[in-house]
């Protein structure tokens, strides 16, 4: 049993966490005449280490996920989801979201396509919630930084919010609040070409390049903000605002997170720094979920597809679920960390 635990630590710390890279960069910073324990030296080490680590993991994960995704183009995904009914359809849709686009704005066109194709509204909303909030990449990256337990918890509660949110929207029968051009769109049942393995590999490579170009600015911004929080903002400030002494910390994290626009990869470095400075676990999880699911650009895009009442209900369900998760895991933090 001990060897199994040792192997788990090795994978988390050296393979996923790349602690060897952190040590190597620390030596490089020292060779430049900077002290890694100083503010400037620590900031440079944090920035280089997190940027390189996230980039390496991200490119590998995008390639793997895109290869899997090549088996599930939109029309085939629609057909697959059409085989499920009731709660099972919401669960299948939420799980499908884990191997699809990495940000909320990229998920909305697929949501529109699924809705136009006649899938139940609740099913499409389960997909819309889960796609930006949780994916296979976030599970690996979260494991590399926070550990497997927190990573699994984040993905599990994200999927739960997606399933519950989609189910509630389905029960409210809000189809009339979808914009007319979507409800009246014709369904296309085209034959799907079968890709060769080489074509799938080429597709995965193209997705790596395209996705990285899109998310790279958010990774750099997120790591930069994380470096500032980690090395320049006093721990007492973070504890006072987002720690256990402030009962409104979760609400504040959600309010701050909504105007931001980033995917999970740009959000993780900020969350890492906040947690290291004394922010509560639930507050950090709520912040990540708010940024990835309820960003203002995605809300503006979604407004083009649904009417204000449905949009308001969607935001309310997501915000309520995120707040509940935040406060619940703040209460259970002592069991998890």
């Amino acid at each position: 049993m001990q060897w199994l635990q040792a192997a788990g630590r090795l994978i988390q710390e050296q393979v996923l966490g790349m602690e060897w890279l952190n040590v190597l960069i620390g030596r490089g910073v020292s060779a430049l005449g900077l002290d890694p324990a100083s503010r400037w030296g620590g900031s440079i080490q944090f920035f280089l280490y997190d940027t390189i680590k996230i980039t390496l993991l991200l490119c590998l994960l995008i390639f793997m996920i895109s290869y899997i995704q090549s088996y599930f183009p939109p029309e085939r995904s629609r057909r697959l989801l059409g085989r499920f009914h009731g709660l099972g359809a919401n669960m299948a849709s939420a799980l499908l979201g884990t191997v699809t686009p990495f940000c909320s704005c990229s998920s909305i066109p697929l949501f529109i396509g699924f809705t136009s194709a006649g899938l139940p509204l609740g099913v499409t909303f389960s997909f819309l919630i889960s796609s930006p909030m949780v994916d296979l990449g976030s599970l690996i990256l979260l494991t590399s930084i926070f550990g497997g337990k927190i990573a699994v918890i984040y993905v599990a509660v994200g999927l739960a919010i997606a399933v519950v949110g989609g189910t509630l929207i389905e029960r409210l029968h809000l189809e009339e609040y979808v914009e007319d051009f979507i409800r009246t769109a014709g369904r296309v049942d085209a034959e799907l070409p079968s890709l060769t393995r080489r074509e799938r590999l080429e597709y995965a490579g193209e997705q790596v390049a395209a996705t990285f170009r899109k998310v790279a600015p958010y990774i750099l911004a997120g790591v930069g903000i994380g470096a500032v929080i980690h090395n320049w903002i006093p721990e007492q400030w973070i504890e006072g605002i987002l720690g256990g002494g402030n009962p409104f910390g979760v609400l504040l994290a959600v309010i701050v997170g909504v105007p931001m626009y980033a995917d999970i990869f740009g959000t993780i470095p900020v969350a890492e720094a906040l947690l290291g400075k004394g922010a509560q676990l639930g507050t950090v999880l709520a912040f990540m979920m708010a940024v990835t699911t309820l960003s203002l650009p995605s809300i503006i895009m979604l407004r083009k597809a649904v009417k204000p009442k449905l949009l308001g209900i969607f935001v309310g369900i997501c915000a309520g679920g995120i707040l509940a998760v935040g406060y619940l895991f703040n209460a259970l933090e002592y069991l998890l960390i």
Side-chain angles (χ1 to χ4, degrees), residues 112-306:
I112 293 174
F114 289 158
T115 305
S116 300
L119 289 176
L121 189 62
V123 173
T124 60
F125 267 99
S126 287
F127 168 84
L128 182 63
I129 295 171
S130 75
S131 181
M133 186 182 290
V134 294
D135 55 59
L136 298 179
S138 66
L139 177 62
I140 302 299
L141 279 179
L142 285 166
T143 300
S144 74
I145 293 175
F146 300 123
K149 185 185 296 184
I150 294 177
V152 170
I153 288 171
Y154 177 87
V155 172
V157 297
L159 289 173
I161 291 175
V163 172
V164 172
T167 301
L168 286 174
I169 289 175
E170 187 70 28
R171 296 286 177 85
L172 292 173
H173 302 291
L174 299 168
E175 287 77 9
E176 63 183 292
Y177 296 103
V178 176
E179 292 292 349
D180 294 338
F181 78 93
I182 294 177
R183 292 193 289 122
T184 59
R187 181 181 302 182
V188 178
D189 290 315
E191 287 296 324
L192 296 172
S194 179
L195 299 178
T196 65
R197 177 177 296 181
R198 179 176 179 178
E199 289 171 333
R200 296 186 193 281
L201 292 173
E202 290 175 351
Y203 169 78
E206 292 169 357
Q207 289 301 301
V208 170
T211 304
F212 182 74
R213 283 196 299 268
K214 182 171 63 176
V215 304
Y218 303 111
I219 294 175
L220 294 176
V223 175
I225 294 171
V228 170
I229 294 172
H230 189 270
N231 294 281
W232 293 86
I233 297 181
E235 187 171 327
Q236 294 81 358
W237 290 13
I238 301 296
E239 287 183 348
I241 298 173
L242 301 178
N246 182 6
F248 301 105
V250 175
L251 178 61
L252 180 61
V254 173
I255 292 173
V256 171
V258 168
M260 299 177 65
Y261 175 63
D263 56 24
I264 188 70
F265 305 110
T267 310
I268 285 176
V270 180
E272 175 189 11
L274 289 173
L275 193 63
K277 281 290 186 174
Q280 289 189 285
L281 173 62
T283 303
V284 171
L285 293 180
F287 169 77
M288 293 173 63
M289 289 179 171
V291 172
T292 55
T293 309
L294 294 177
S295 65
L296 282 181
S298 67
I299 296 300
I300 293 171
M301 285 184 64
L302 185 58
R303 172 61 188 90
K304 304 294 184 181
V306 301

